[in-house]
């Protein structure tokens, strides 16, 4: 760890840190630094990845570095003052340290950071800090050593890097197709339209290390002879857009962008940010191109692929944020170093947004080939409240559920596909026994149904029919033939949709039917929801032995369905009960039973 | 299907008359640049908070794009609003993480408190309630966002308290 004479305090100011109150923490520390009581340097960084302990504050001094968690504005000053006064780590507050054991070491030590190599280490608004950590070293090497375009492409091919947006197509192959096209005008696009609900890998990378993405794009531009790069970013990511624009300006001022990049003749490259306007389908490459052209973001038939005819009908190479972020590292460290991580067909690392009913939710970058159980138990610390692990959803609305029994599945494109789920862009939502799988399938289908652009009949109408069936099942009106109907519709939608949205929309239903068929049967045949989520299927009753007659539930009941006076056993009138669950929540004696 | 984004007749609100002259600089900025319809619409919405009906005809006149095509683009993307919004926009996150942590209860509670449905604005023009896909602070789920402030780990009750506190502050400001 670097040692400096003056201690340095770094506050994590990514979107999630800010949401947890990091801006207020920063203000408190700023006041402390201005008070002159202690001599230290105050700095900002972005997402460190440990969302569950936000706000995070790192202290670097002669001893090394220590990260403190849960540093809300009411706690931070006391901890920092104690740290300075005793010159020791404040007991119980450190989550990770370079010179001592800390509570969350397992979360850090299980990770391999390649795409996120600088996230949490640099101030994303300072190009110098990025340069100190290898930013723009790869493009400098390529241009100075006059590396051939095909050699750059071959390096990416040899590294085994595959599209991190979810498609898993070999990146080098994509570049090769675009390179071989002889058209004079070509484009590079960075797909930052991260739309999966529950996924924030790309946002964190853009906010934390925008230069990694820019450098990746410049290298891609050089490799395929493109002169313009476009970052298509969700408008919902204002901080990412702001930091990207700052980074672009800095890179331009330093000559990494613009006319004759770093003095290289015949290579000029510009990048600008295009804000998306809110349409999940624009993550599909042809829809994304239509959107950049100012049209409705509707996909078109392929071929021709964008490598032949893309933006403005010119050859275009599109890669995802994380893919671009990996590129400079591969050039700097060589293809074999990257390919050393992973499995036979899936090389390198993958970033996941670990969320849901998990103790340690956050952003993790793990080598391919790690098992799902290892991610959940070793890094994630297990399930919240030590409940039972039920399933994990990979790939968002296009993906599927992998049940706990298959927790030994390793994370690589082929193994995950074999379960019926997809690797996706990196959303990993963990579910426990209190999640109803039919409700979850309904949630995803509602999303895809809403986001369908409407072009293909099966996607437009089929998803709607499937959703209606799921709604019926969760309302207790399921029919015996429903499961078969769902399977038929799913099959038709998959086979008759033009783009990835329709082709994958039935996945959540298909995987839950495959692994949790008994839950569908319970809903349809027994009119019960085993996870106790689907309200119309629940019955609330009062356990006469436990009821103390405290009258709290009766007072809270919005429909006056509970009868019983003080110190007498209460009862619920089923015909009046609206199943709001209020009595269950307020009862202190666990006397309200739900089935 | 995305057509749902077009408001039904009964929720259509009276539109205030607007001065469209500030749009001139947008037309200047994007003139003869291909693919600038979406930035034009974004710029318009930035000025007015929504896209006023007369702006469609003006954009069509200035750019030569058919009004129907502009309307098609504006209704395709979730970002564009065709009606004025409230002073305060309450965004309830319905990302996957929030969903499994019962985000529906938050929307239900706020709907009851404000007496509007999801996507609607209160008659006094103070609050608009919206569901959004993911605010990206999944570890704080369920979350709602008002302005730049996020409120996490909510229950129906605490969400209502957040809204009431804001109502109170607004009252005191007036």
């Amino acid at each position: 760890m670097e040692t400096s004479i003056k201690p340095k305090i770094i506050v994590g100011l990514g979107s999630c840190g800010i949401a947890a109150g990091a801006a207020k923490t920063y203000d408190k520390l700023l006041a402390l630094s201005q008070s002159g009581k202690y001599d230290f340097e105050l700095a900002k960084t972005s997402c460190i990845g440990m969302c569950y302990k936000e706000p995070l504050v790192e202290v670097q001094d002669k001893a090394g570095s220590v990260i403190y968690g849960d540093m809300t504005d009411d706690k931070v000053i006391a901890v920092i003052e104690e740290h300075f006064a005793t010159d020791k780590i404040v007991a119980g507050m450190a989550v990770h340290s370079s010179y001592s054991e800390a509570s969350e070491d397992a979360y850090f030590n299980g990770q391999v950071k390649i795409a996120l190599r600088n996230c949490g280490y640099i101030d994303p608004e300072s190009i110098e800090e990025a340069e100190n950590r290898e930013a723009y070293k790869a493009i400098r090497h390529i241009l100075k050593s006059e590396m051939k375009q095909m050699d750059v492409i071959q390096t990416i091919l040899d590294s085994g890097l595959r599209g991190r947006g979810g498609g898993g197509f070999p990146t080098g192959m994509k570049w090769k197709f675009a390179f071989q096209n002889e058209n004079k005008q070509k484009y590079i696009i960075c797909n930052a339209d991260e739309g999966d609900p529950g996924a924030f890998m790309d946002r964190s990378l853009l906010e934390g290390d925008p230069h990694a993405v820019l450098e990746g794009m410049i290298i891609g531009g050089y490799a395929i002879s493109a002169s313009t790069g476009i970052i298509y970013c969700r408008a919902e990511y204002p901080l990412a857009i702001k930091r990207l624009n700052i980074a672009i300006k800095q890179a331009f001022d330093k000559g990494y962008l613009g006319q004759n990049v770093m003095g290289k003749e015949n290579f000029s490259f510009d990048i600008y940010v295009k804000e998306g306007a809110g349409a999940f389908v624009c993550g599909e490459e042809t829809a994304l191109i239509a959107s950049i052209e100012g049209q409705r973001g509707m996909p078109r038939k392929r071929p021709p692929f964008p490598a032949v005819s893309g933006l403005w009908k010119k050859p275009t190479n599109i890669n995802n944020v994380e893919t671009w972020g990996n590129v400079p590292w591969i050039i700097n460290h060589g293809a074999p170093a990257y390919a050393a991580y992973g499995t036979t067909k899936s090389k390198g690392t993958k970033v996941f947004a670990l969320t849901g009913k998990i103790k340690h939710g956050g952003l993790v970058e793990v080598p391919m080939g790690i098992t799902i159980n290892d991610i959940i138990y070793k890094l994630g610390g297990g399930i919240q409240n030590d409940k039972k692990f039920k399933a994990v959803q990979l790939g968002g609305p296009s993906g599927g559920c992998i049940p706990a029994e298959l927790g030994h599945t390793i994370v690589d494109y082929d193994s995950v596909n074999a379960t019926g789920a997809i690797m996706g862009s990196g959303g990993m939502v963990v579910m426990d026994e209190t999640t109803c799988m039919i409700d979850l399938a309904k949630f995803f289908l509602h999303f895809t149904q809403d986001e369908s652009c409407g072009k293909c009949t099966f996607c437009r109408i089929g998803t709607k029919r499937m959703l209606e069936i799921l709604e019926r099942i969760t309302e207790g009106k399921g029919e015996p033939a429903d499961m078969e109907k769902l399977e038929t519709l799913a099959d038709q939608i998959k086979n008759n949709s033009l783009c990835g949205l329709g082709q994958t929309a039935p996945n959540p239903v298909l995987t839950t039917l495959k692994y949790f068929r008994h839950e569908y049967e319970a809903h349809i045949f027994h009119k019960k929801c085993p996870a106790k989520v689907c309200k119309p299927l629940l019955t609330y009753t009062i356990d006469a032995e436990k009821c103390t007659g405290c009258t709290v539930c009766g007072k809270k009941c919005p429909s006056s369905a509970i009868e019983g006076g003080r110190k007498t056993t209460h009862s619920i009138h089923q015909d009046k009960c609206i199943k709001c669950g209020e009595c269950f929540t307020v009862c202190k004696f666990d006397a309200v039973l739900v089935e | 299907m995305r057509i749902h984004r077009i408001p039904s007749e009964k929720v259509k609100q009276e539109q205030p008359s607007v001065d469209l002259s500030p749009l001139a600089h947008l037309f200047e900025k994007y003139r003869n640049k291909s693919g600038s319809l979406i930035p034009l619409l974004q710029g318009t919405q930035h000025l007015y908070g929504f896209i006023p009906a007369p702006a469609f005809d003006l954009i069509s006149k200035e750019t030569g794009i058919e009004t129907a095509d502009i309307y098609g683009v504006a209704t395709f993307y979730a970002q564009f609003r065709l009606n004025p919004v409230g002073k305060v926009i309450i965004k309830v996150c319905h990302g996957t993480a929030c969903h499994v942590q019962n985000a529906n209860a938050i929307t239900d509670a706020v709907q009851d408190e404000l007496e509007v449905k999801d996507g609607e604005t209160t008659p006094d023009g103070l609050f608009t309630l919206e569901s959004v896909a993911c605010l990206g602070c999944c570890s704080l789920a369920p979350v709602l966002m008002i302005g730049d402030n996020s409120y996490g780990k909510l229950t129906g009750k605490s969400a209502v308290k957040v809204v009431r506190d804001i109502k109170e502050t607004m009252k005191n400001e007036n």
Side-chain angles (χ1 to χ4, degrees):
Chain A
M1 210 68 222
E2 58 191 273
T3 48
S4 55
I5 310 139
K6 202 175 178 183
K8 190 172 175 183
I9 296 183
I10 308 165
V11 184
L13 287 164
S15 278
C16 39
I18 293 171
K24 285 184 196 154
T25 303
Y26 184 84
D27 288 345
K28 281 268 161 120
L29 287 168
L30 189 65
L32 183 71
S33 108
Q34 283 162 350
S35 73
K37 203 166 158 191
Y38 303 98
D39 187 26
F40 65 90
E41 187 190 339
L42 185 61
K44 298 173 184 178
T45 187
S46 193
C47 180
I48 302 170
M50 193 184 256
C51 301
Y52 64 102
K53 285 281 183 188
E54 294 277 12
L56 294 164
V57 173
E58 182 177 354
V59 183
Q60 290 177 357
D61 53 21
K62 54 185 185 299
S65 103
V66 51
I67 302 175
Y68 291 110
D70 292 321
M71 286 293 101
T72 41
D73 60 335
D74 54 329
K75 288 186 212 147
V76 64
I77 298 299
V79 171
I80 296 298
E81 292 200 330
E82 189 182 331
H83 182 104
F84 283 150
T86 61
D87 233 357
K88 277 198 197 108
I89 292 181
V90 181
M93 301 306 287
V95 292
H96 190 61
S97 166
S98 64
Y99 55 92
S100 168
E101 281 184 13
S103 65
E104 312 299 321
D105 284 344
Y107 187 81
F108 280 95
N109 298 344
Q111 299 193 50
V112 174
K113 299 213 173 190
I114 292 179
L116 302 176
R117 58 194 176 275
N118 291 340
C119 288
Y121 292 100
I122 59 163
D123 176 350
E125 296 180 17
S126 158
I127 192 169
E128 287 78 16
E129 285 193 22
E131 283 173 324
N132 287 339
R133 289 185 63 95
E134 291 196 345
Y136 301 104
K137 186 180 156 194
I139 186 66
R140 176 175 286 122
H141 166 74
I142 289 171
L143 297 179
K144 290 277 177 288
S145 68
E146 307 206 328
M147 203 168 160
K148 289 207 175 70
Q149 287 168 295
M150 203 46 225
D151 291 344
V152 176
I153 295 171
Q154 194 59 46
T155 307
I156 301 299
L157 272 171
D158 293 343
S159 74
L161 178 64
R162 292 169 70 173
R164 293 290 187 254
F169 192 81
T171 305
M173 202 89 91
K174 237 185 188 176
W175 289 19
K176 203 170 159 185
F177 291 142
F179 169 70
Q180 284 164 345
N181 196 303
E182 284 170 4
N183 203 308
K184 283 222 168 72
Q185 176 71 57
K186 296 181 193 175
Y187 293 101
I188 289 277
I189 295 177
C190 169
N191 184 348
D193 191 47
E194 182 176 54
D196 275 12
F200 49 91
M201 303 74 54
D202 295 349
R203 193 206 64 208
S204 296
L205 179 52
L206 292 171
E207 285 180 2
D209 188 13
H211 294 289
V213 179
L214 298 185
E215 189 184 2
M217 290 176 73
I218 299 167
I219 294 169
Y222 173 80
I224 72 158
S225 310
S227 58
T228 306
I230 299 154
I231 303 172
Y232 185 88
C233 186
R234 287 182 82 187
E236 290 91 331
Y237 287 174
L239 189 60
I241 293 170
K242 183 187 146 209
R243 288 182 179 166
L244 272 172
N245 281 320
I246 292 172
I248 290 171
K249 168 128 199 334
Q250 291 171 338
F252 188 85
D253 289 345
K254 290 230 168 191
Y256 299 123
L257 283 174
Q259 201 69 30
N260 299 339
V261 173
M262 303 182 75
K264 174 87 179 167
E265 276 175 44
N266 306 326
F267 178 51
S268 298
F269 196 70
D270 279 319
I271 295 180
Y272 66 93
V273 179
K274 188 98 181 175
E275 280 181 44
F280 177 66
V281 72
C282 287
E284 200 280 340
E285 54 185 16
T286 59
L288 188 152
I289 288 170
S291 182
I292 294 178
E293 290 176 351
Q295 302 158 27
R296 289 164 70 94
M298 289 163 96
R300 62 158 176 79
K301 204 167 131 275
R302 296 179 302 181
F305 285 90
V308 176
S309 172
L311 185 63
W312 310 117
K313 305 236 177 333
K314 304 290 182 200
T316 303
N317 182 70
I318 305 185
N319 284 122
N320 156 276
V321 172
E322 191 186 329
T323 314
W324 289 122
N326 277 305
V327 167
W329 192 94
I330 294 170
I331 301 289
N332 281 333
H333 299 260
Y338 192 78
Y341 295 107
T343 60
T344 322
K345 285 185 177 170
S346 305
K347 301 294 185 192
T349 58
K350 178 78 198 88
V351 182
F352 287 101
L354 193 56
T355 61
K357 309 267 173 110
I358 183 104
K359 277 186 188 159
H360 304 167
L363 204 66
V364 295
E365 182 167 358
V366 290
M368 296 270 192
I370 188 174
T371 66
I372 289 171
N373 278 340
D374 277 353
I375 297 181
I376 290 173
Y377 290 102
K378 287 197 182 150
L379 274 76
I383 309 296
Q384 279 176 5
N385 304 319
D386 292 315
K387 287 202 171 139
K388 205 172 147 226
F389 169 39
K390 183 170 183 179
V392 59
Q393 164 83 18
L394 272 183
S398 310
C401 292
I402 299 177
E405 308 90 89
L406 296 181
H408 54 79
T409 305
I410 59 166
V411 172
D412 74 5
Y413 290 96
D414 309 282
S415 309
V416 172
N417 285 351
T419 66
I422 61 164
M423 181 85 111
S425 58
M428 190 180 263
V429 184
V430 180
M431 287 158 286
D432 66 9
E433 55 202 326
T434 63
T435 310
C436 169
M437 302 314 280
I438 297 143
D439 178 69
L440 188 82
K442 188 175 83 173
F443 166 77
F444 282 121
L445 208 63
H446 187 274
F447 180 84
T448 35
Q449 179 281 136
D450 203 37
E451 292 294 337
S452 167
C453 78
K455 185 166 184 162
C456 307
T457 318
F458 284 89
C459 175
R460 181 181 70 237
I461 304 173
T463 53
K464 182 126 185 109
R465 293 291 95 85
M466 282 180 83
L467 180 63
E468 283 165 2
I469 294 173
L470 290 175
E471 278 172 348
R472 210 167 62 215
I473 294 174
T474 53
E475 281 163 11
K477 296 172 194 151
E479 294 159 12
D482 278 347
M483 285 188 283
E484 207 178 306
K485 270 189 204 162
L486 283 172
E487 278 162 342
T488 313
L489 276 166
D491 190 47
Q492 289 168 338
I493 296 167
K494 276 174 96 86
N495 290 320
N496 295 293
S497 298
L498 198 56
C499 83
L501 191 147
Q503 286 161 6
T504 58
N507 282 350
V509 179
L510 286 174
T511 50
T512 48
L513 269 170
K514 185 172 168 188
Y515 298 116
F516 297 95
R517 206 174 185 87
H518 53 278
E519 282 199 30
Y520 281 85
E521 286 164 354
H523 281 73
I524 295 171
F525 299 115
H526 309 296
K527 310 292 178 204
K528 293 275 177 223
C529 175
K532 295 169 186 165
V533 171
C534 302
K535 281 192 176 155
L537 301 179
L538 304 181
T539 322
Y540 289 90
T541 48
I542 289 174
D543 184 342
E545 282 183 15
K546 284 186 180 166
C547 179
T548 61
C550 73
T551 74
V552 167
C553 60
K555 281 180 196 149
K556 286 281 173 190
C557 179
S559 61
S560 309
I562 301 179
E563 203 177 315
R566 181 160 285 281
K567 300 211 170 146
T568 60
T569 305
H570 288 39
S571 62
I572 299 175
H573 284 283
Q574 294 304 331
D575 51 339
K576 280 191 192 168
C577 175
I578 56 164
K579 299 171 184 182
C580 65
E582 194 66 27
C583 49
F584 179 79
T585 320
V586 297
C587 183
K588 286 181 194 145
F589 309 100
D590 295 329
V592 178
L593 306 173
V594 54
E595 278 183 70
Chain B
M1 216 191 8
R2 309 194 68 84
I3 199 93
H4 288 175
R5 302 239 160 80
I6 300 174
S8 64
E9 282 302 318
K10 58 176 186 231
V11 298
K12 259 189 191 161
Q13 300 158 14
E14 283 289 308
Q15 291 209 349
S17 60
V18 289
D19 170 21
L20 293 178
S21 56
L23 289 180
H25 87 272
L26 284 177
F27 295 130
E28 225 33 71
K29 189 173 167 192
Y30 293 113
R31 195 170 307 281
N32 301 325
K33 280 189 189 154
S34 42
S36 48
L37 177 58
I38 292 172
L40 261 176
L41 290 170
Q42 285 170 330
T44 309
Q45 178 153 304
H46 188 72
L47 281 170
Y48 302 101
F50 70 111
I51 301 170
F56 283 99
D57 292 326
L58 187 66
I59 294 173
S60 170
K61 209 178 109 199
E62 292 282 342
T63 59
I65 305 170
E66 293 288 339
T67 312
D69 288 338
I70 303 174
Y71 195 68
V73 169
T75 51
F76 185 85
Y77 295 99
Q79 185 189 18
F80 298 120
R81 310 169 207 276
L82 304 184
N83 279 312
V85 281
K87 259 190 181 162
V88 175
I89 300 173
I90 302 174
K91 294 179 182 170
V92 182
C93 181
H94 282 264
T96 316
C98 285
H99 179 81
V100 300
Q101 305 278 25
N102 208 1
N104 283 340
I106 313 297
T107 294
D108 286 350
V110 180
Q111 286 191 119
D112 288 349
E113 172 66 18
L114 296 175
E115 297 179 356
V116 289
K117 288 214 175 71
D118 189 19
E120 292 180 4
T121 302
T122 51
D124 57 11
L126 287 182
F127 291 97
T128 299
L129 176 62
E130 276 186 352
S131 292
V132 293
C134 189
L135 293 171
C137 27
C138 303
S139 55
L140 301 173
V143 179
L144 67 76
M145 195 176 200
I146 298 173
D148 288 334
N149 292 323
S150 305
Y151 303 86
K153 301 198 169 155
L154 294 168
T155 60
K157 243 189 206 162
S158 60
V160 166
K161 192 176 174 298
V162 168
V163 174
R164 282 189 186 157
D165 286 349
I166 287 180
K167 266 188 187 169
E168 203 54 43
T169 339
M170 285 170 82
K171 241 191 226 161
N172 296 337
E173 276 171 9
N174 286 339

